[in-house]
Amino acid sequence: MRADAQRNQERILDAAEEVFTRRGASASTEEVARLAGVAIGTVFRHFPTKDDLLAAILKRLLARLAEDAATLGGADGLHVFFRRLVGQAAAKRTVVDLAGVSVPAAVGQLGEAVGGLLRQAQAAGTVRSDVHPPEVMALLVSVCQGALQGGWDAKLQERTLAVIFAGLAA
């Protein structure tokens, strides 16, 4: 992809993430184009349908989360990741609005990163050895959905995570 086309694509994705976070998945692609400073045709050249644009946003978000998880580690890396993810979920509508979009490779990448955090926590003795990655992913998804739908404040997030961490403790 040419450098200018790559820059346009990144501007479109940045704008789309902002617009859809603020207004939900029903926001218009015209608003995305305006915020990105490009013509609507440019948006559709990069993302032929709105679903393609939503999938690209979700894929990028999941990749960022996987990168974040990969930078953490040790005994408390899994706990830190949970806290960050729940805090972000409580502040953004995007995750729920985009939940119907399937991007298996990005989800798999996130699952691998979370699995790595789990293994490190288990090796450090802070998480029980009978806990498996699918269970941790289910907890992550559930608590993020709860924080998002319930508009949890920081105190409720922390109390809920304390219960989860106690259940995971070795």
Side-chain angles (χ1 to χ4, degrees):
M1 185 181 295
R2 294 184 345 234
D4 61 329
Q6 180 66 35
R7 281 191 303 271
N8 279 344
Q9 185 173 11
E10 288 301 314
R11 282 199 334 250
I12 291 165
L13 287 171
D14 290 342
E17 189 171 338
E18 183 177 329
V19 167
F20 292 127
T21 294
R22 200 171 356 104
R23 299 178 36 91
S26 62
S28 73
T29 51
E30 288 82 6
E31 187 176 351
V32 170
R34 273 193 304 278
L35 186 60
V38 299
I40 191 67
T42 303
V43 173
F44 287 120
R45 195 167 29 260
H46 288 277
F47 307 100
T49 69
K50 189 174 183 179
D51 283 345
D52 292 331
L53 180 56
L54 293 172
I57 293 168
L58 183 57
K59 182 176 179 181
R60 190 167 82 158
L61 175 63
L62 290 171
R64 282 186 200 146
L65 291 172
E67 289 171 11
D68 186 37
T71 66
L72 301 171
D76 66 342
L78 185 63
H79 294 168
V80 170
F81 185 72
F82 258 83
R83 282 191 177 92
R84 286 182 186 174
L85 190 56
V86 171
Q88 288 176 17
K92 290 190 174 197
R93 292 177 43 192
T94 306
V95 177
V96 167
D97 289 339
L98 301 179
V101 179
S102 175
V103 282
V107 171
Q109 185 180 11
L110 178 60
E112 290 174 20
V114 169
L117 290 174
L118 174 62
R119 286 187 296 279
Q120 290 179 42
Q122 288 171 326
T126 57
V127 173
R128 296 182 352 223
S129 63
D130 63 339
V131 175
H132 303 287
E135 296 153 1
V136 173
M137 289 300 291
L139 285 170
L140 272 172
V141 169
S142 299
V143 76
C144 286
Q145 291 289 335
L148 201 74
Q149 295 296 326
W152 296 358
D153 64 20
K155 287 182 182 178
L156 181 55
Q157 290 175 38
E158 196 53 42
R159 287 192 316 268
T160 303
L161 289 171
V163 170
I164 291 170
F165 297 157
L168 292 173

